[in-house]
Amino acid sequence: MDVQNSVNVRSVTTIGHVDHGKTTLMDALLAANNIISNRMAGKLRYLDSREDEQERGITMESSAVSLRFTVMERNPNGGTSPRTYVVNMIDTPGHVDFSTEVSTASRLCDGALVLVDVIEGVCTQTITVLRQAWVDRLKPILVINKFDRLITELKLTPTEAYHHLAQLIEQVNAVMGDFFAGERMEDDLRWREERERRLAAKKEAHADEVDATVNEEEEFQEKDDEDIYFAPEKGNVIFASAIDGWGFRIGKFAHLYAVKLGVKEANLRTVLWGDFYLDPKTKRVISHKHLRGRALKPLFVQFVLENIWAVYGAVVLNPDQDKVAKIVNTLNLKIPPRELKSKDTKHLLSLIFSQWLSLSTCVIQTIVDIVPPPTEAQRIRIPKMLYPDLYEPTIEPKNNLEKALYTCDAHPDAPVVALVSKMFAVPISELPENKKRPISAEEMRERGRAARESRKVATDGSVAQPPQDPVANTDKVLEDGEQAIGSLAEDGETLLGFARIYSGKIVTGTDIYCVLPKYNNALEPSHAKNSQNIVTATVETLYIMMGRELVEVQEVHAGNVFAIKGLQGKVWRNATLCAPNSAGIKSADLAADKDCLLNLGGALRAAAPIVRVALEPAIPADMPKLVQGLKLLAQADPCVETFQQQTGEHVIFTAGELHLERCLKDLRERFARIDLHASEPIVPFRETCVKGNDMAPPKSGGKRGTIHGASVHNLIKFTIRAAPLPQAIRDFLQENLAIIRQMLHEKGSEEGGDAAAEATKDANEDIELQGDYIRRPTVDRSQFWAALETICRKVGGEWTDIANKIVAFGPQRVGTCLLIDLRKATKQDSTQLERHSDQPAEGEHLAEDEQIAQDLDGHLETGFQLATLQGPLCAEPVEGVAYFLESLEIDMQGLEEERSHNRMAQVVGSFISAVRDACRNGLLDWSPRLMLAMYSCDIQASTDVLGKVYGVVAKRRGRIVAEEMKEGTTFFTVRALLPVVESFGFADDIRKRTSGAASPQLIFSGYEMLDEDPFWVPTTEEELEDLGEKADRSNTAKAYMDAVRERKGLFVDRKIIEHAEKQRTLKR
């Protein structure tokens, strides 16, 4: 990059809902940079470089491109001078399956172009990407795209279009207002807690000064929300039609009319949007208060929209060459007469608009005006990346490294800090150094001269052939062999880092530190936990990304986005690259270089990887290729998870059906290059139980769910009772799973400080591999037990005082199942969970009986964890069930005898198995239920296909939750809940039934109980009369349960012979 001044750099991402025109908008910018032709802009979709992206018409991978634009800027003297800007653009997918691509891109940028379809309006993914921009503190610019649809499809009048646009901007601002309100409420709560803590501390120190200190406390500082909203008069709203290649801001027309009317441009800009009108008599601008019943048009309609409507009317709607010629002359445009007579109205329209309201000029000017340069943006964004709990806009730097980061210091002596947000795969043959270099004119002439001489020698028979040199032949053979080997090596894929440099200058050939995501900034680099998260790597090559092309460079300065080669095998998915200066690290001395080491954090996953598929190669001998291919896929795709199950199956987790298709295609064609067999999608279920209406009598004869069990030889007898958790307790545990996980990590770690840091890091993960949501906790860590006690007291009954008797959570020690010890507790000052995990202090020895009892408590918990991880219905995790340990009797004499015969392993094994079986049977004593993973499905459809949409949803056992009509359009937004297990092929089905008029977006929304007993059979006289003994009506829950059991190789209770009483012939 020869533009070294980071003040002239802008880094922007395009975000929005699927099919709202992000890639088409990028085409207009690429055409302005002469990368593609103007005629192909909008049709080529240059940044959709994958074959399947072009086929489907959607983006699946984020692509970056660095563009250069020269802008004429005004001097303080009143003149103008050119200034060159480098704009790093990252185009992101809008499909929910690829949300992670959005989060990885937004971490590298300072601003965002938020595209919204003018008809579809604010959709689900629009809200998601706006939230991502809010969290990452990006400066957003609203682009209202597909403006032409208001004219050609909806056929609105200019006044109707103005009201439609005003409502749309209000909708987007309402979303931004919700984000602001939520953040302010959190700030207020945090301020109050901090204030109470300080007052409590002062009360202890100066008991007599409390009243005085209360009055001295500063008031809660309110923040102004004015600058977060989109307003056309501020210049942060673009009205555009990317497919027709035009766009404008209010300022464009304000400038035109200011010259024409002789008024100040700044004054006109403030009244050109909003309820302001031009009084025809006084020629003054008036507000709506002074209308006095007159039907005047707003200035925006009169000055802006009517002109655009006139162009579309003359060119597209009612073609009229005379009118077009008049418009061209009035606007002083230079269009050849041949083009004016063209029958291609779309081309003529784009010619007129590209000269009058150029989209690329408008977008670049807006980016330059609104998006801050890295020197200003990093002052706001970096503190939040370093200190995620920070809620002030910015803070003062604490050391030289932070100072360099905040100021985007690009000097060679500044510390190098760059964030790799993801790794992406590129064919080795596509790298610039491996491509054929275009030959120069001189080389072509030299080749021609050599060819002519060789022909002359061949035709001249009198010239004796020189003797062949055997050494030269050998060299040629060696060269050919080396080329063959090279071509084989170049046939694979290599991984490059997708990165942004925040300070310093990174240079090819230098050595750098790669700080991995688990590095803890609070600890020293030489600490055992940190040293394993620092690796050194050599910067092999640096590239500037130009969409599908890569341009090799020698160095990259602070503020720029780039690709880096040399991290393969060192960095898994993301990392922070650090070095003391541009010369790199001389010797890997962590103590000397500790001031330059920093972790800027990993990417957050926005979509839960809920769809699981088991893979196997068609030819078993290709298994090593599959393993290697899966490893490459997991690195190249930030949202895919790959692992090997205990059964030996290789499984991939993907975010959805479309994501799964892309992953399988990549494995077959790029990473593994073998033929694969994929299983049916493996969908997670959950098991639970409820109090049914007509349950069978309890198995034990006592309380329902009570099971008596014993180990081998009845050496250990116990009684466990299962009961469904009340909904209030269950919801509380579900919402605070992050805190339960945090407590687990704190218990499992030896050092308290490290535990807190590790636990916090793990608690911030959004989704587990099981497909569970880890939500934001509703209470503070210190308030968890008190809040749980309060909820238990509210529920009442036997749940009143269970909080102090909880021994364990499950499954996997983090979940909504409880193991509750009802035996008499020995200590009253701590919870059972804390007592249960207490270990004897060093040098302290427990009595033998106590030691045995403590060991058995651990084995009991193991049995509970096994039972909740694999429930009785189909070996899926259990949710929302409490297990009460009512009694535990130990035959000490018998145990001692078994120990003397060295048979304790048999006793312990049988005890764990007995506990597991007792827990499972206790659940079955109630009315068991399956819980289905659910998708929240948003569908936009016109009124004529609404019935077909409802039919497809109903056929797949979904249900409609809400529907609303978009004002001013014929579109309905339908929200439905759909079981994940029924969702495969849903998108294709709905598109086929509606002829492509409706397209669904599926987002994982948690689990929902299927209220149907899988073991239900008709018993009453009415049921038998209605359904018969065999119950011909299919039991949905049993069908799901049997399918999962069959897949897992468990016993399936299925009749082999059906309708045996019917006669069958030999042929049939």
Side-chain angles (χ1 to χ4, degrees), residues 943-963:
T943 46
D944 50 340
V945 297
L946 205 56
K948 293 175 181 176
V949 168
Y950 278 34
V952 175
V953 171
K955 177 185 167 188
R956 292 176 175 268
R957 298 194 178 98
R959 71 173 194 277
I960 305 297
V961 178
E963 67 166 22

Side-chain angles (χ1 to χ4, degrees), residues 494-604:
T494 188
L495 290 169
L496 305 181
F498 195 91
R500 151 105 180 245
I501 180 166
Y502 286 104
S503 82
K505 182 177 76 170
I506 192 165
V507 182
T508 303
T510 56
D511 290 339
I512 51 171
Y513 291 113
C514 300
V515 179
L516 304 182
K518 288 188 177 179
Y519 180 90
N520 187 351
N521 288 332
L523 302 176
E524 288 291 319
S526 53
H527 191 280
K529 287 193 174 180
N530 274 353
S531 57
Q532 62 190 9
N533 288 312
I534 301 175
V535 293
T536 55
T538 303
V539 180
E540 293 179 17
T541 324
L542 296 170
Y543 305 100
I544 296 299
M545 291 172 282
M546 300 297 292
R548 64 192 80 181
E549 304 292 331
L550 295 167
V551 179
E552 189 174 341
V553 292
Q554 289 303 309
E555 58 186 39
V556 180
H557 295 267
N560 284 299
V561 175
F562 65 99
I564 178 171
K565 182 185 175 189
L567 306 182
Q568 188 167 357
K570 307 284 180 71
V571 173
W572 180 246
R573 278 184 178 162
N574 46 59
T576 311
L577 309 180
C578 302
N581 49 49
S582 60
I585 52 176
K586 300 304 178 188
S587 59
D589 184 0
L590 293 178
D593 296 333
K594 68 177 183 180
D595 292 338
C596 74
L597 295 175
L598 192 68
N599 180 17
L600 291 175
L604 297 174

